[in-house]
Amino acid sequence: MSFYKNGNFVDLCRGPHVANTKDVGVFKLLRVAGAYWRGNEKNPQMQRLYGVAFATQAELDQHLERLEQAKLRDHRRLGKELDIYTVSPLVGAGLPLFTPRGTILRDIFAQYSNQLRQNYGFEKVWTPHITKTNLYETSGHWAKFGDELFLVTSQETDDKMALKPMNCPHHTQIYASKPRSYRDLPVRYLETTTDYRDEKTGELGGLNRVRSLTQDDSHVFCRSDQIGAEINNLLASARELYGSIKMPLRVRLSYRDDSDGYLGDKALWASAQAQLKAAVMTNEIEYFEQDGEAAFYGPKIDFMATDAIGREHQVATIQLDFVQPGRFGLEYTDNEGNAQVPVMIHCALLGSIERFMSVLIEHTAGWFPFWSAPEQVRVLTINDTVLDYVSDIRTVLGGLVLMKPVKYNELRYTVDDRNESLGKKIREATNFKIPVQIIVGPQDRDAREVSIRSQTGEEKIALDELAQYLTSL
Ligand SMILES: [Zn+2]
């Protein structure tokens, strides 16, 4: 905070300030707006000028280019143009509805995130969307987040119920459903499910902030000596996931400081923080450390992903938890027969899938990687004389199951054999940002070839090689 002073005029302003306008550097005015002196319409009207300034022209140009790019990539605009999601005043603010295309996109990323963790022994669980509020009183969430809960009333019982705002307390109850020995640990649960939070309606817009948020959530219950190995698995999964969409990652290691606000044994904190750091270094992920940024119940790793126009987004989190297992009385029997409390590790790789989708749309500008595109291939006919040949092409496409990076996905393709000009068909396919367009004309038919049109250019491929071409993308 600083003050700007000019004659007897003093203004409170965040700054920074320069002594003279000649020190501003290069600047550009972005817009003007009318304003009344002191916000009162009876006072004289003034012009308010909005602009940006940088030390060099190159920095200014870069900033303006980025603003332009951000506008073109706005996920609210592209979400509509590419038919990914919609909103309805009848359903409500912050409750986006996903179309068939958007749902494919959501599902395939959730499937990928699950498969990555299933490689490391995570098992799927399922929990209901409503629960007694007692659960959150025990977990401690009620005291902290009570006003964010959607409440539900039963017409049968007096139970106070709520829509779940998170899944951790539920997963503790699955862990608690039977006795555990040190040999059973780690226990790893995975659930992609929607949570509900009563965000203020003024803060809702697009997919960034929603009241129904889907998490690719997971919880590990482990011994304190297993923390490092578990973190290692999660880091490797996150690195692979964000690598697949070409988003570089860096992480923040959030530690405790010396204040008293933290719960849990100090030695456990020290050991856990050392294990987090070691795992990050083993995975060669860029990191920085911050004391005092941990949650009161444990240290964490926050992932920041950089998008195609250089903006950084907070995505996944790995959160250690020394408190919740104790609140729920979770135990395991150690090798000497004594009861011990497990450590809990919370992790969602995508974070909120809705928010992830907004980042993905803006990062790719709607050109989703081939494997994740809702419609991967569209066949465009030049005229009706090729329809028999198109059925040969259908036979190839219909039999394709893709295995990389997500396993067991049938190729998603359509055929546009309408009686329209090829130019119009190409325009429509390109507007939908379909990664592979297969153009079929009489010459292609006679040569048993197809013409492939993609972002990298055009090429001819023999029909016999089409399957191999598509599986290698
Ligand atoms: Zn959790």
Side-chain angles (χ1 to χ4, degrees), residues 400-415:
L400 270 187
V401 177
L402 304 177
M403 297 296 283
K404 275 194 291 185
V406 191
K407 288 183 209 146
Y408 309 116
N409 273 285
E410 288 178 13
L411 183 83
R412 298 176 292 276
Y413 77 97
T414 59
V415 175

Side-chain angles (χ1 to χ4, degrees), residues 17 53 61 72 110 124 162 182 191 249 272-273 297 327 352 365 470:
H17 297 121
D61 289 347
L72 289 173
K124 277 192 185 173
Y182 67 97
E191 183 179 20
L249 279 182
Q273 292 184 176
Y297 48 86
R327 286 218 166 114
S352 139
L470 291 171

Side-chain angles (χ1 to χ4, degrees), residues 377-381 386-401 410-418 438 440 448 450 463 466-467 470:
V377 174
R378 189 179 286 187
V379 180
L380 314 176
T381 56
V386 298
L387 291 182
D388 283 348
Y389 182 49
V390 166
S391 64
D392 293 348
I393 298 173
R394 277 181 191 273
T395 308
V396 173
L397 300 180
L400 270 187
V401 177
E410 288 178 13
L411 183 83
R412 298 176 292 276
Y413 77 97
T414 59
V415 175
D416 185 353
D417 55 8
R418 291 173 304 162
I438 296 180
V440 190
R448 304 277 306 162
V450 290
L463 181 61
L466 181 59
L470 291 171

Side-chain angles (χ1 to χ4, degrees), residues 166-169 217-219 324 344-347:
M166 58 191 57
N167 318 303
C168 343
D217 210 0
S218 64
H219 295 101
Q324 225 178 119
M344 193 170 174
I345 305 173
H346 311 254
C347 175

Side-chain angles (χ1 to χ4, degrees), residues 327-390:
R327 286 218 166 114
F328 283 108
L330 304 188
E331 286 180 348
Y332 67 91
T333 313
D334 69 15
N335 57 357
E336 287 164 358
N338 300 317
Q340 301 284 353
V341 181
V343 172
M344 193 170 174
I345 305 173
H346 311 254
C347 175
L349 293 179
L350 302 169
S352 139
I353 292 183
E354 288 74 15
R355 220 181 76 78
F356 174 82
M357 296 260 292
S358 77
V359 172
L360 179 74
I361 293 169
E362 299 197 1
H363 167 58
T364 61
W367 287 102
F368 305 116
F370 175 74
W371 58 269
S372 67
E375 187 181 340
Q376 296 170 287
V377 174
R378 189 179 286 187
V379 180
L380 314 176
T381 56
I382 289 180
N383 59 40
D384 283 352
T385 67
V386 298
L387 291 182
D388 283 348
Y389 182 49
V390 166

Side-chain angles (χ1 to χ4, degrees), residues 205-242:
L207 298 176
N208 278 332
R209 242 191 140 81
V210 289
R211 297 158 106 186
S212 54
L213 57 137
T214 310
Q215 305 208 60
D216 59 327
D217 210 0
S218 64
H219 295 101
V220 176
F221 301 89
C222 66
R223 308 190 304 259
S224 59
D225 62 296
Q226 294 172 320
I227 293 172
E230 293 307 304
I231 299 297
N232 214 34
N233 297 346
L234 293 168
L235 285 174
S237 304
R239 213 172 51 161
E240 189 172 335
L241 182 69
Y242 288 92

